[in-house]
Amino acid sequence: MGQTERAWRIALMPGDGIGPEVMAATRQVLEALPEPALDLVELEWPSHAWHRRHGTMMPEDWTDRVSAFDALLLGALGDPGPASDPGRYLLPDGVSLAPLLQLRKGLDLWACERPASPLPGAPQYLADQRALETDMLVIRENSEGEYVDQGGRLAPGTPRETATQLEVFTRAGTERIIRHAFERAEQRRRERVAGLRAPRAAAAGGYDAAVCVVTKRNAVQYAGELWSDVFAEVAAEYPAVHTHHELIDACCMKFVTQPWQFDVVVASNLHGDILTDLAAVLAGGMGVAPSANVNPSDRSVPALFEPTHGSAPDIAGQDRAHPAAMMLTAAAMLEWLGADDAQAASAAVEVREAVAAEMLQYGMEGRTCSQVGTSVCERIRSSVRRG
Ligand code: IPM
Ligand code: MN
């Protein structure tokens, strides 16, 4: 779609907990952008409130309804608020968080992208100054692996009780995610060569781009070997990209001791889940970590953008949550739309720069969510005025 034809249709799904407040601040920011044209439609689902009224987190025909949109922007799901709230309507995690997995799997949003580079002004947890040069992109397989929801419990409640949990790794699913990782690495390499992205850290080994594949093939052999085989086959097609393998346990250790060594990292659903909380901390914490769920082979499927953080019920409704992660997630959405739309691509840069300037001036503490919203909008408006 080109911007001359119509506005991008965006579903805003504030969700639960801090979701509505960080979404409100982010909506203001999207509205402050002079372009691209965005048609923002706020949905009441998925949410606890919707469940209370209808008995489900989403309407039954959610697949049809979301297909009307170009992208879905989600705040947070999970526990809706502080334990002191007498009106709190609690649901098991398996119910309240299920829409995340239903959306990712139901729409076949098979790639989850979670970038991490330190955001100046956000907490810097590592003492080693080289960590400031970290610039990684973790790509998490989002459609199969450990998250297939296959298994069960035999003889529940008895001494013989047995739980089974199946992991499924297909060659097709493995190949598409690994190939996507190489495509992204190649793209980042070109950006570095063109001076559009900072060069890799001096200590990173002299490669312009690298892909690290993560497995646990020394113990979880069959899946790990399939991933390694497919990785070697695909890597042969990308001679300009350096490759390395890490076992998940060692990888966690190296994310902390030498994060600047990593560029693109590709991992299974569960390994990617674990690694991306750790990667978020390298960037400054869960409060600054964006996340994108996309289908790179079919861009007509509405992609789902959500911060990596959850609903933070302890501070929900108090205007205390920092909206940086939500705003950077909106920037990731604009960047995705920007593949076909130069206005959206430059709006993504605009939002990132405004958030970065805000962080640099005030850091993460002491400002309310709505203050940050107003201030980031003001930064965008004055940068637009300056042209
Ligand atoms: C995430 C979350 C989810 C996941 C949970 C809430 C199901 O941890 O987005 O990383 O495991 O994918
Ligand atoms: Mn997670």
Side-chain angles (χ1 to χ4, degrees):
M1 189 199 81
Q3 271 313 286
T4 45
E5 293 157 45
R6 63 176 174 94
W8 294 109
R9 290 210 73 203
I10 311 296
L12 304 181
M13 301 168 152
D16 290 319
I18 60 168
E21 51 209 276
V22 292
M23 181 66 85
T26 302
R27 179 180 190 144
Q28 274 185 283
V29 167
L30 291 173
E31 287 171 347
L33 293 165
E35 21 183 68
L38 300 173
D39 181 7
L40 305 174
V41 180
E42 195 156 315
L43 304 183
E44 293 169 53
W45 48 271
S47 70
H48 274 64
W50 182 272
H51 192 284
R52 197 199 286 244
R53 269 182 278 133
H54 302 276
T56 53
M57 286 297 287
M58 298 199 280
E60 231 168 82
D61 60 347
W62 66 265
T63 5
D64 293 337
R65 298 211 200 187
V66 297
S67 66
F69 295 97
D70 297 303
L72 318 172
L73 188 61
L74 182 114
L77 289 182
D79 193 338
S84 56
D85 176 1
R88 185 165 174 246
Y89 174 71
L90 268 187
L91 292 168
D93 283 355
V95 173
S96 65
L97 300 174
L100 279 180
L101 303 179
Q102 286 172 296
L103 287 161
R104 291 177 195 166
K105 288 195 228 160
L107 299 173
D108 198 21
L109 302 172
W110 50 266
C112 177
E113 298 197 350
R114 295 181 169 176
S117 50
L119 191 59
Q124 168 65 26
Y125 292 101
L126 297 183
D128 193 319
Q129 292 307 298
R130 288 174 292 180
L132 292 171
E133 287 186 79
T134 301
D135 176 19
M136 69 163 88
L137 172 63
V138 182
I139 297 188
R140 166 184 180 187
E141 204 293 318
N142 226 15
S143 66
E144 52 180 45
E146 307 86 346
Y147 276 58
V148 289
D149 193 25
Q150 296 289 302
R153 286 168 74 175
L154 282 170
T158 72
R160 299 182 288 114
E161 182 160 6
T162 306
T164 56
Q165 187 89 47
L166 190 66
E167 302 185 0
V168 174
F169 298 89
T170 64
R171 176 172 272 274
T174 306
E175 184 174 339
R176 69 182 177 178
I177 197 69
I178 288 177
R179 187 173 297 283
H180 180 61
F182 277 96
E183 285 295 319
R184 294 291 269 131
E186 185 49 48
Q187 186 186 349
R188 286 159 67 90
R189 188 186 69 78
R190 286 194 301 266
E191 287 169 7
R192 290 190 179 109
V193 170
L196 301 170
R197 172 177 291 277
R200 296 202 67 214
Y207 309 105
D208 285 329
V211 180
C212 174
V213 64
V214 180
T215 75
K216 184 60 189 169
R217 70 184 179 204
N218 57 349
V220 185
Q221 183 185 345
Y222 310 114
E225 287 177 1
L226 175 66
W227 272 64
S228 295
D229 290 351
V230 172
F231 185 74
E233 288 165 26
V234 176
E237 297 172 37
Y238 296 86
V241 178
H242 174 71
T243 59
H244 55 137
H245 168 264
E246 294 293 348
L247 296 166
I248 178 70
D249 46 353
C251 192
C252 290
M253 183 261 294
K254 289 182 183 172
F255 267 28
V256 175
T257 56
Q258 42 192 286
W260 55 86
Q261 296 283 355
F262 294 90
D263 183 14
V264 175
V265 177
V266 63
S268 73
N269 214 329
L270 181 61
H271 290 169
D273 176 48
I274 296 166
L275 284 174
T276 51
D277 270 26
L278 185 42
V281 168
L282 301 175
M286 299 304 281
V288 301
S291 169
N293 305 281
V294 298
N295 181 330
S297 49
D298 184 358
R299 296 184 56 93
S300 69
V301 179
L304 170 69
F305 299 85
E306 31 146 348
T308 306
H309 65 60
S311 62
D314 50 326
I315 57 163
Q318 298 172 33
D319 202 20
R320 282 169 59 201
H322 200 287
M326 186 78 241
M327 291 177 182
L328 295 172
T329 298
M333 176 186 81
L334 290 164
E335 184 182 313
W336 171 257
L337 300 174
D340 319 322
D341 175 1
Q343 290 182 344
S346 56
V349 175
E350 199 70 64
V351 172
R352 286 199 179 113
E353 283 176 357
V355 172
E358 175 73 17
M359 296 294 298
L360 205 53
Q361 186 169 358
Y362 295 106
M364 295 285 285
E365 301 296 329
R367 303 263 289 167
T368 65
C369 182
S370 31
Q371 277 173 334
V372 178
T374 311
S375 164
V376 171
C377 285
E378 198 33 59
R379 288 173 199 277
I380 288 176
R381 290 204 185 90
S382 55
S383 130
V384 168
R385 279 196 297 272
R386 282 195 308 273

